[in-house]
């Protein structure tokens, strides 16, 4: 698997098809992995792929939108690429996607690999990349299933319980904006969180402002979040952001029969208007 | 003979202290360990076996946000300065974190001192816990610290099978300890752990030579420019100030800010003196390793390893220091 990735990366760089391949290399703990940008064919042996390759590298494509770039992508990451293509943020002709078949990765932290899978993998049924130029691994044909049992649990809470649940989590948010910076769907030139005129949310790192930040961040990703789970994975204070994201994903699926990033061509619900669009809360 | 306090006595002493002082101590919930204010009925919640808190104790002196003063529209405008109402005990600091506070002191207490910081600092006693099982990413001994370094603490506690060895280093600490129920015991102090060493020595002299190296752009490729490293750091202290204006009231608020955030050096008109990803990224390391040392005498790093552990893309200060050493020409 790793050999295939290295050989393809080498070929792409040698033939100047791309001038950089974004992939994974071992991290400094000699246990997990980290993103790497390979510019020289002689450097391709740094590339690896294993169960610790958690990062969604599609975010990096935004900075390289005008440069021919190769990328190693898991199925969830390819949904990020599709999202960006769909929203006209990338040019397909500038991309070479090395898709990797994935049956789930492991929950990782620096110096630590857990035996369990991260939340995103537990609910994922997309094991084959949705878009690729070169495929590593045998494609899996599996009907996508949807399991929202974790969301139903939150939905069944009373509004007061739900408020208490989220207050407990949002209160400890430090507004590091890690969730935004790591997100493939967050590419605004100026985020509402930074905007001064109009001022949507103040700089105070306090419960009220944290609620505004976390809810508006989530709403901006409704029908757009591709469930890569990076926001939740990197949150330094362990806020279960995927619960909010998956609630919106569930509603989008029920209201519009739409899954973000699965297809490059279908116009996303918030980029169009149909008279028959349902109104409601998704129930 | 050494003076020790048993775990039970320590907790009941803290319970007693909580009547007079605000106690700030490590508490674990929702999978994260943070310094929290604990009342006398909550002393049992204190986690005495944590390795390292997710956020540093700097939050107590330099909170994520604080109101500096309020102006109320009266007949005459009145300025109400913020103030601390109670003396506090910051309990369970690792020696590296105490050093982090000492480093922020250098910047915030230099004349003219930051009064908001100073008030909290003056009213707080620091009780440390020696670090007997450091994390793999820790490197305090490489930057002048140590797992049982008591330099920047008022009291240091070192855990043994017989109880905690108590050492007071300041007048404040000695006075506080007089009320603690301690016993004299014959105790062999625990062997301190040894940590991985990195060669940080001489790094300040090397930094100017590599300022324009393409290295910074290459590492910055990977950086996602979140503020995690700065916010978990025990000695990063950049902030932003804004006014909250509401009917008849203006509050001046200070909040954490970081050199990695998008608008950090953007000026009116849109010009940014750090225009590239690399220049943006480089600032963090130059502040820590080059700009701070000649003014304040130390590199601005305690070796706590929090940024190493929390960085989403494994930007590792140990690796950066080693790489710069290798670039030596």
């Amino acid at each position: 698997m790793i050999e295939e990735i290295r050989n393809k990366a080498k070929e792409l760089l040698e033939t100047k098809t791309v001038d950089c391949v974004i992939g994974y290399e071992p991290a400094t703990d000699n246990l997990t992995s980290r993103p790497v940008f390979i510019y020289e064919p002689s450097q391709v042996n740094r590339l690896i792929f294993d169960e610790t390759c958690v990062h969604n590298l599609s975010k990096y494509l935004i900075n390289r939108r005008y440069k021919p770039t190769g990328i190693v992508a898991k199925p969830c990451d390819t949904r990020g690429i599709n999202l960006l293509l769909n929203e006209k943020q990338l040019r397909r002709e500038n991309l070479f996607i090395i898709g990797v078949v994935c049956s789930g990765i492991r929950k990782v932290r620096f110096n630590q690999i857990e035996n369990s899978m991260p939340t995103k993998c537990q609910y994922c049924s997309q094991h084959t990349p949705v878009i690729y130029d070169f495929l590593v691994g045998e494609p899996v044909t599996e009907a996508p299933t949807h399991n929202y049992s974790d969301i139903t649990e939150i939905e069944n809470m009373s509004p007061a319980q739900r408020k208490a649940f989220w207050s407990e989590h949002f209160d400890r948010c430090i507004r590091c904006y890690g969730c935004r910076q790591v997100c493939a769907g967050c590419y605004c030139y100026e985020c509402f969180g930074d905007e001064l005129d109009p001022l949507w949310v103040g700089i105070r790192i306090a419960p009220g402002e944290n609620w505004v930040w976390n809810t508006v961040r989530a709403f901006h990703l409704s029908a757009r979040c591709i469930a890569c789970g990076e926001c939740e994975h990197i949150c330094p204070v362990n806020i279960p952001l995927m619960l909010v994201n998956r609630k919106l994903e569930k509603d989008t699926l029920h209201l519009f029969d739409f899954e973000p990033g699965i297809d490059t061509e279908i116009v996303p619900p918030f980029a169009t208007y149909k008279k028959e669009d349902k109104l409601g809360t998704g129930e | 003979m050494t003076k020790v306090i048993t775990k039970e006595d320590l907790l009941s002493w803290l319970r007693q202290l909580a009547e007079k002082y605000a106690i700030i101590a490590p508490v674990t919930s929702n999978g994260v360990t943070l310094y929290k204010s604990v009342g006398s009925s909550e002393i049992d919640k204190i986690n005495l076996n944590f390795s390292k808190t997710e956020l540093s104790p700097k939050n107590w002196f330099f909170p994520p946000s604080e109101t500096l003063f309020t102006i109320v529209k009266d007949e005459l405008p009145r300025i109400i300065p913020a103030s601390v109402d109670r003396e506090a005990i910051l309990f369970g600091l690792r020696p590296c974190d105490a050093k982090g506070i000492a480093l922020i002191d250098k910047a915030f207490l230099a004349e003219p001192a930051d009064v908001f910081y100073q008030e909290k600092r003056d009213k707080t006693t620091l009780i440390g816990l020696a670090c007997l099982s450091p994390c793999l990413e820790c490197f305090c001994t490489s930057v002048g610290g140590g797992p049982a370094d008591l330099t920047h603490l008022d009291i240091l506690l070192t855990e043994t099978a017989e109880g905690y060895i108590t050492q007071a280093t300041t007048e404040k600490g000695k006075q506080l300890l007089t009320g603690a129920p301690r016993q004299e015991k014959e105790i062999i102090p625990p062997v301190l752990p040894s940590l991985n060493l990195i060669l940080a020595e001489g790094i300040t002299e090397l930094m100017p030579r590599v300022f324009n190296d393409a290295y910074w752009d290459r590492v910055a490729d990977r950086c996602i420019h979140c503020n995690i490293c700065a916010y978990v750091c025990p000695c990063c202290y950049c902030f932003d100030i804004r006014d909250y204006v509401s009917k008849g009231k203006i509050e001046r608020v200070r909040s954490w800010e970081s050199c990695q955030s998008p608008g950090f050096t953007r000026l009116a008109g849109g010009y940014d003196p750090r225009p590239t990803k690399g220049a943006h990224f480089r600032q963090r390391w130059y502040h820590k390793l080059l700009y701070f040392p000649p003014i304040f005498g130390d590199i601005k790093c305690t070796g706590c390893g929090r940024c190493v552990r929390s960085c989403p893309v494994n930007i590792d200060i140990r690796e950066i220091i080693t790489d710069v050493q290798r670039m030596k020409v």
Side-chain angles (χ1 to χ4, degrees), chain B residues 7 18 27 36 61 236 309:
Chain B
K7 189 177 168 186
V27 174
K36 285 186 179 165
F61 306 105
C236 267
R309 182 177 69 176

Side-chain angles (χ1 to χ4, degrees), chain A residues 150-168:
Chain A
D150 53 336
I151 305 305
T152 318
E153 225 171 272
I154 309 278
E155 285 170 342
N156 288 340
M157 288 180 180
S158 70
Q161 280 172 321
R162 222 161 30 225
K163 185 169 183 230
F165 176 85
W166 285 113
S167 288
E168 195 185 337

Side-chain angles (χ1 to χ4, degrees), chain B:
Chain B
M1 294 294 265
T2 316
K3 285 197 168 176
V4 293
I5 183 166
T6 63
K7 189 177 168 186
E8 291 69 37
D9 284 347
L10 174 64
L11 292 174
S12 57
W13 180 48
L14 285 171
R15 218 167 277 129
Q16 194 189 320
L17 288 171
E19 302 292 338
K20 185 183 167 201
Y21 299 90
I23 307 272
I24 319 300
V27 174
T28 306
S29 67
N30 292 304
V32 285
T33 307
L34 302 169
Y35 286 95
K36 285 186 179 165
S37 176
V38 285
S40 58
S41 61
E42 300 166 309
I43 295 295
D44 291 332
K45 285 188 186 165
I46 297 175
N47 184 349
L48 289 166
N49 300 312
F50 69 104
S51 57
K52 177 157 61 196
T53 55
E54 313 297 322
L55 302 178
S56 86
K58 76 174 174 191
N59 300 33
W60 177 247
F61 306 105
F62 175 50
S65 281
E66 63 187 320
T67 299
L68 303 180
F69 58 80
T70 310
I71 300 174
V72 184
K73 191 181 171 191
D74 254 339
E75 285 158 22
L76 282 172
R78 281 187 299 129
I79 295 181
I80 307 164
S83 68
V84 184
D85 55 347
R86 246 172 124 190
E87 297 221 6
I89 290 171
L90 192 42
F91 175 83
L93 286 97
R94 296 298 181 203
C96 57
D97 285 341
K99 189 180 177 188
I101 293 165
L103 289 172
I104 299 186
D105 283 353
K106 292 180 187 231
F108 276 33
L109 299 182
E111 281 301 320
D114 183 298
V115 289
F116 310 100
Y117 181 88
Q118 185 164 37
E119 188 174 20
K120 286 183 280 256
R121 191 72 178 87
D122 287 347
K123 288 187 175 174
T124 307
T125 307
L126 307 179
I127 304 184
L129 274 177
C131 186
L132 300 177
S133 48
C135 306
L136 283 163
E137 66 272 14
C138 292
F139 57 101
C140 61
T141 47
S142 304
V143 289
D149 176 17
L150 35 77
T151 324
H152 310 291
L153 289 158
D154 294 305
I155 296 168
L156 177 72
L157 305 177
T158 308
E159 193 180 4
T160 69
E162 312 274 331
Y164 293 86
I165 301 172
T166 56
Q167 287 166 280
T169 46
T170 62
E171 218 27 66
K172 220 179 191 180
K174 277 176 198 154
Q175 275 199 347
L176 194 69
L177 260 188
T178 51
R182 293 182 294 168
Q183 297 147 18
E184 297 261 2
K185 275 189 186 167
E186 204 69 66
I187 281 203
I188 308 159
V191 181
L192 293 177
S194 65
L195 284 94
N196 295 331
L197 277 175
I198 54 158
L199 280 173
E201 215 168 300
I203 190 72
T204 302
E205 288 69 42
L206 287 174
M207 291 302 276
R209 299 191 214 165
V210 298
F211 188 81
N212 291 317
D213 202 284
Y215 174 76
W216 304 107
D217 289 316
R218 288 289 79 89
V219 187
D221 272 345
R222 194 165 83 238
C223 178
I224 58 167
H225 300 284
C226 63
N227 299 340
I228 293 178
C229 50
Y231 288 5
V232 301
C233 177
C235 54
C236 267
Y237 52 71
C238 282
F239 59 81
D240 194 1
I241 291 178
R242 305 268 173 80
D243 286 349
Y244 271 60
V245 185
S246 56
K247 252 190 173 169
K249 198 171 107 177
I250 300 170
E251 273 182 273
R252 183 151 293 177
V253 173
R254 156 158 88 185
S255 274
W256 286 356
E257 174 63 310
S258 134
C259 56
Q260 297 308 307
S261 78
F264 191 72
T265 45
R266 198 188 302 145
L267 309 180
Y271 174 70
D272 193 337
R274 290 182 206 139
T276 61
K277 255 176 88 65
H280 207 129
F281 171 78
R282 184 177 58 196
Q283 168 62 19
R284 175 171 172 78
W285 314 105
Y286 274 76
H287 188 193
K288 288 201 169 296
L289 306 173
L290 178 66
Y291 309 145
F292 190 88
I295 308 171
F296 299 114
D298 264 318
I299 65 169
K300 196 164 79 74
C301 175
T302 71
C304 76
R306 278 195 186 83
C307 58
V308 180
R309 182 177 69 176
S310 296
C311 178
V313 292
N314 186 226
I315 285 163
D316 187 330
I317 185 169
R318 300 168 304 170
E319 188 184 28
I320 286 177
I321 291 174
T322 313
D323 286 347
V324 170
Q325 301 273 13
R326 283 205 193 110
M327 287 194 286
K328 188 157 45 175
V329 270

Side-chain angles (χ1 to χ4, degrees), chain A residues 61-79:
Chain A
L61 293 173
I62 299 164
N63 269 334
R64 295 189 52 87
R65 65 181 79 186
Y66 303 117
K67 300 167 193 158
T69 305
I71 183 169
V72 178
K74 302 184 294 298
C76 50
D77 310 340
T78 57
R79 285 180 64 184

Side-chain angles (χ1 to χ4, degrees), chain A residues 4-18:
Chain A
E4 276 181 88
I5 294 172
R6 287 177 183 171
N7 290 340
K8 186 44 85 176
K10 195 169 181 202
E11 178 199 316
L12 293 173
L13 291 166
E14 276 174 350
T15 57
K16 304 216 184 308
T17 312
V18 299

